[in-house]
Amino acid sequence: MNQIKPIVGITMGDGAGVGPEIILKSLGDPEIYDLCRPVVIGDSKILNRAKAFVHSDLKVETIQEEQIADLPYSFGTVYCLDLNLLSEDLPIGQVSAEAGHAAFEYLAKAIDLANKKAIDAICTAPLNKEALHKGGHKYPGHTEILADLTGTDEFSMMLSAPKLKVIHVTTHVGIIDAVKMINPERVYRVIRLAHDTLVKSGIENPKIAVCGINPHAGENGLFGYGEEEEKVVPAVNKAQGEGINVVGPLPADTLFFRTVRGDFDIVVAMYHDQGHGPVKVLGLDAGVNITVGLPIIRTSVDHGTAFDIAGKGIVEEKSMTEAIRQAVELAPKRK
């Protein structure tokens, strides 16, 4: 039975930033329409304004929510669910409460659509945290909005580059604090999140590899103070006991090479630089940030609003294009 192409809702992000430009540039690639049915959740007038910046010939067509499932989705037309929240003369490259509030509303609408199964995945263009706060929404960013509006307590960051996916046990903390925070239950939860996310994406029995904390994964106590045996091994054993295809702890210095080679589907990294470094080397301009643990699929570009170059048409769209591709890969499969 043939699979139906997923519907990907692309939120416009902060309309004063580069979001409209990277969306138009990405949807200027016919291959995107071979993969999915993209619909932009934003403001048509701002997309039309951005066409001049990026010299786009695409037609922007305003649609209603009830039309989403029945549109032809052919290359050349960008469908926009127009929330009509921004003024036509919104200043480009400036922080504004108007754009911050609109960015929140685009995401809230996308979450609502995903919850109702009207779309299969969300792909977000960048928002600006200062503008978001000025607009009356006191969240650190996209992830916290998504967690709040979906009632999610357990979630994690997954980074994806071509041939490599990495999920983190800890992220934005110092290395000493990271080691303190790592414990068997935390490692187990991240292994489970990795497994469940990839199974939902269509990988029946994902191969998961877990990094050690110390060089050479401790090498039987030669390095460190037994952190692997204390903090990682019990989590791996628990997951294996539940039938999860996971191994570790393994030395990080060879594990990422092995994963890129195809030995594993995803790596569980213990701390920020252990996981971020390899992803950035492999895909600095094509990296994608994926929030896992949510009841819906959400991917995002791995950069900000870039106010300094907004409106100039020079922003690279590779991260947005890859984020759309990852949304398609992770989206529940319809038949």
Side-chain angles (χ1 to χ4, degrees):
M1 188 179 294
N2 292 331
Q3 289 183 350
I4 300 173
K5 289 185 288 188
I7 299 174
V8 177
I10 305 171
T11 60
M12 201 175 73
D14 192 304
V18 296
E21 296 170 62
I22 57 175
I23 290 171
L24 289 171
K25 283 189 170 186
S26 292
L27 298 185
D29 179 355
E31 291 186 8
I32 293 297
Y33 289 81
D34 293 334
L35 297 173
C36 69
R37 295 175 283 170
V39 57
V40 180
I41 300 155
D43 269 66
S44 294
K45 67 178 77 69
I46 301 301
L47 286 175
N48 275 313
R49 181 175 72 171
K51 284 170 59 177
F53 305 152
V54 299
H55 308 291
S56 173
D57 296 325
L58 299 174
K59 176 186 176 184
V60 176
E61 183 174 324
T62 299
I63 64 166
Q64 303 300 316
E65 181 178 332
E66 57 269 21
Q67 296 177 273
I68 290 175
D70 301 318
L71 296 165
Y73 293 100
S74 58
F75 172 70
T77 300
V78 175
Y79 294 119
C80 178
L81 181 60
D82 190 353
L83 301 194
N84 194 26
L85 295 171
L86 297 178
S87 56
E88 206 160 0
D89 58 351
L90 176 76
I92 300 168
Q94 296 181 28
V95 173
S96 76
E98 180 185 8
H101 171 66
F104 175 86
E105 292 295 338
Y106 302 150
L107 182 58
K109 171 54 80 173
I111 293 169
D112 177 60
L113 292 172
N115 283 333
K116 294 188 295 190
K117 312 299 183 186
I119 61 176
D120 299 301
I122 299 171
C123 180
T124 57
L127 55 71
N128 180 276
K129 292 179 178 61
E130 184 181 354
L132 183 69
H133 292 176
K134 284 189 173 183
H137 305 286
K138 305 300 182 182
Y139 294 92
H142 274 117
T143 301
E144 291 76 16
I145 298 172
L146 283 149
D148 187 25
L149 297 189
T150 59
T152 302
D153 295 321
E154 291 288 345
F155 56 93
S156 184
M157 175 194 296
M158 183 166 81
L159 296 181
S160 179
K163 298 185 179 181
L164 179 63
K165 287 181 174 63
V166 181
I167 188 169
H168 293 73
V169 175
T170 68
T171 49
H172 295 106
V173 294
I175 186 65
I176 295 174
D177 292 329
V179 174
K180 291 178 182 177
M181 290 171 63
I182 298 166
N183 60 58
E185 185 57 30
R186 190 178 186 119
V187 175
Y188 165 77
R189 289 199 305 265
V190 175
I191 293 171
R192 169 58 70 178
L193 282 172
H195 174 268
D196 292 349
T197 300
L198 295 188
V199 167
K200 287 178 183 177
S201 76
I203 301 175
E204 185 175 343
N205 187 31
K207 296 172 289 186
I208 302 169
V210 180
C211 284
I213 299 170
N214 294 295
H216 302 282
E219 201 162 308
N220 298 316
L222 183 62
F223 302 108
Y225 298 92
E227 288 86 357
E228 279 74 19
E229 288 296 323
E230 175 191 347
K231 298 170 179 283
V232 181
V233 171
V236 173
N237 289 342
K238 181 178 180 180
Q240 288 175 339
E242 296 177 359
I244 295 176
N245 186 3
V246 58
V247 295
L250 298 175
D253 58 357
T254 55
L255 178 51
F256 292 96
F257 167 79
R258 292 181 61 192
T259 304
V260 171
R261 186 176 64 185
D263 293 1
F264 305 105
D265 295 304
I266 191 168
V267 173
V268 176
M270 292 295 117
Y271 51 88
H272 184 281
D273 284 10
Q274 187 182 63
H276 278 61
V279 172
K280 298 292 185 181
V281 167
L282 289 172
L284 186 61
D285 57 358
V288 177
N289 186 332
I290 303 166
T291 308
V292 299
L294 301 173
I296 57 181
I297 297 300
R298 177 261 177 164
T299 67
S300 178
V301 296
D302 198 23
H303 61 75
T305 49
F307 282 160
D308 56 325
I309 60 171
K312 297 180 181 179
I314 60 175
V315 64
E316 285 281 350
E317 75 277 13
K318 290 179 182 178
S319 187
M320 172 57 79
T321 300
E322 186 61 26
I324 296 171
R325 292 179 184 276
Q326 290 292 328
V328 171
E329 182 177 328
L330 294 169
K333 303 303 182 282
R334 297 194 194 195
K335 294 183 180 180

